Short mmCIF file of all heavy atoms in Angstrom, two decimals:
data_model
loop_
_atom_site.label_atom_id
_atom_site.label_comp_id
_atom_site.label_asym_id
_atom_site.label_seq_id
_atom_site.Cartn_x
_atom_site.Cartn_y
_atom_site.Cartn_z
N ALA A 83 8.69 -7.85 -0.50
CA ALA A 83 9.00 -7.04 0.70
C ALA A 83 10.04 -7.87 1.57
O ALA A 83 10.91 -7.16 2.11
CB ALA A 83 7.76 -6.79 1.48
N ARG A 84 9.84 -9.13 1.65
CA ARG A 84 10.82 -9.94 2.45
C ARG A 84 12.24 -9.92 1.90
O ARG A 84 13.19 -10.02 2.61
CB ARG A 84 10.26 -11.45 2.55
CG ARG A 84 8.92 -11.49 3.21
CD ARG A 84 8.62 -12.90 3.75
NE ARG A 84 9.09 -13.99 2.80
CZ ARG A 84 8.23 -14.46 1.91
NH1 ARG A 84 6.91 -13.95 1.70
NH2 ARG A 84 8.63 -15.50 1.10
N SER A 85 12.38 -9.92 0.59
CA SER A 85 13.68 -10.08 -0.07
C SER A 85 14.33 -8.70 -0.33
O SER A 85 15.44 -8.57 -0.80
CB SER A 85 13.57 -10.92 -1.29
OG SER A 85 12.79 -10.31 -2.26
N ALA A 86 13.57 -7.61 -0.16
CA ALA A 86 14.14 -6.40 -0.56
C ALA A 86 15.21 -5.81 0.34
O ALA A 86 15.11 -6.07 1.61
CB ALA A 86 13.01 -5.22 -0.41
N GLN A 87 16.35 -5.31 -0.23
CA GLN A 87 17.46 -4.83 0.57
C GLN A 87 17.10 -3.46 1.16
O GLN A 87 17.60 -3.13 2.28
CB GLN A 87 18.65 -4.80 -0.27
CG GLN A 87 19.21 -6.07 -0.73
CD GLN A 87 20.47 -5.98 -1.50
OE1 GLN A 87 21.31 -5.17 -1.12
NE2 GLN A 87 20.73 -6.79 -2.48
N GLN A 88 16.32 -2.74 0.46
CA GLN A 88 15.85 -1.40 0.92
C GLN A 88 14.51 -1.10 0.35
O GLN A 88 14.04 -1.76 -0.55
CB GLN A 88 16.78 -0.35 0.30
CG GLN A 88 18.29 -0.41 0.80
CD GLN A 88 19.16 0.63 0.12
OE1 GLN A 88 18.82 1.79 -0.08
NE2 GLN A 88 20.34 0.18 -0.10
N ILE A 89 13.82 -0.28 1.08
CA ILE A 89 12.42 0.11 0.81
C ILE A 89 12.24 1.65 0.92
O ILE A 89 12.78 2.35 1.77
CB ILE A 89 11.34 -0.65 1.76
CG1 ILE A 89 11.36 -2.11 1.50
CG2 ILE A 89 10.01 -0.01 1.53
CD1 ILE A 89 10.44 -2.90 2.42
N VAL A 90 11.60 2.16 -0.06
CA VAL A 90 11.19 3.57 -0.16
C VAL A 90 9.79 3.72 0.01
O VAL A 90 9.03 3.30 -0.88
CB VAL A 90 11.78 4.26 -1.35
CG1 VAL A 90 11.53 5.83 -1.25
CG2 VAL A 90 13.32 4.17 -1.44
N VAL A 91 9.34 4.39 1.06
CA VAL A 91 7.84 4.68 1.26
C VAL A 91 7.56 6.05 0.88
O VAL A 91 8.14 7.04 1.49
CB VAL A 91 7.44 4.40 2.69
CG1 VAL A 91 5.91 4.59 2.83
CG2 VAL A 91 7.88 2.96 3.10
N PHE A 92 6.71 6.27 -0.10
CA PHE A 92 6.21 7.56 -0.47
C PHE A 92 5.01 7.89 0.26
O PHE A 92 3.99 7.12 0.14
CB PHE A 92 6.03 7.73 -2.00
CG PHE A 92 7.39 7.70 -2.79
CD1 PHE A 92 8.02 6.60 -3.03
CD2 PHE A 92 7.87 8.89 -3.08
CE1 PHE A 92 9.25 6.52 -3.71
CE2 PHE A 92 9.15 8.92 -3.83
CZ PHE A 92 9.79 7.67 -4.18
N VAL A 93 4.92 9.09 0.90
CA VAL A 93 3.74 9.57 1.64
C VAL A 93 3.26 10.84 1.10
O VAL A 93 4.11 11.68 0.71
CB VAL A 93 3.98 9.58 3.14
CG1 VAL A 93 4.46 8.18 3.60
CG2 VAL A 93 4.93 10.65 3.53
N THR A 94 2.04 11.20 1.27
CA THR A 94 1.48 12.54 0.98
C THR A 94 1.39 13.37 2.29
O THR A 94 1.09 12.79 3.38
CB THR A 94 0.05 12.42 0.24
OG1 THR A 94 -0.91 11.83 1.13
CG2 THR A 94 0.28 11.69 -0.99
N ARG A 95 1.56 14.63 2.16
CA ARG A 95 1.56 15.56 3.31
C ARG A 95 0.59 16.81 2.94
O ARG A 95 1.11 17.92 2.91
CB ARG A 95 2.91 15.99 3.61
CG ARG A 95 3.92 14.94 4.09
CD ARG A 95 3.35 14.15 5.35
NE ARG A 95 3.05 15.17 6.41
CZ ARG A 95 3.93 15.47 7.34
NH1 ARG A 95 5.10 14.90 7.36
NH2 ARG A 95 3.45 16.30 8.28
N GLN A 96 -0.57 16.51 2.73
CA GLN A 96 -1.54 17.62 2.42
C GLN A 96 -1.75 18.49 3.66
O GLN A 96 -1.95 19.70 3.53
CB GLN A 96 -2.92 17.01 2.12
CG GLN A 96 -3.95 18.16 1.71
CD GLN A 96 -5.24 17.54 1.17
OE1 GLN A 96 -5.33 16.45 0.74
NE2 GLN A 96 -6.29 18.35 1.14
N ASP A 97 -1.35 18.07 4.84
CA ASP A 97 -1.38 18.89 6.06
C ASP A 97 -0.34 19.99 6.04
O ASP A 97 -0.44 20.94 6.77
CB ASP A 97 -1.14 18.03 7.31
CG ASP A 97 0.10 17.24 7.20
OD1 ASP A 97 0.36 16.58 6.32
OD2 ASP A 97 0.95 17.29 8.23
N LEU A 98 0.57 19.88 5.18
CA LEU A 98 1.68 20.93 5.03
C LEU A 98 1.37 21.97 4.01
O LEU A 98 2.35 22.73 3.53
CB LEU A 98 3.01 20.27 4.80
CG LEU A 98 3.54 19.34 5.88
CD1 LEU A 98 4.92 18.67 5.52
CD2 LEU A 98 3.70 20.01 7.20
N TYR A 99 0.18 21.99 3.44
CA TYR A 99 -0.04 22.89 2.35
C TYR A 99 0.27 24.36 2.61
O TYR A 99 0.72 25.11 1.73
CB TYR A 99 -1.63 22.70 1.90
CG TYR A 99 -2.61 23.28 2.82
CD1 TYR A 99 -3.03 24.58 2.67
CD2 TYR A 99 -3.19 22.43 3.72
CE1 TYR A 99 -4.00 25.14 3.52
CE2 TYR A 99 -4.08 23.06 4.59
CZ TYR A 99 -4.59 24.33 4.50
OH TYR A 99 -5.51 24.83 5.36
#
Side-chain angles (χ1 to χ4, degrees):
R84 299 200 313 271
S85 63
Q87 294 186 36
Q88 298 176 33
I89 291 177
V90 180
V91 180
F92 286 84
V93 306
T94 60
R95 294 302 306 267
Q96 187 172 338
D97 57 310
L98 299 179
Y99 69 89

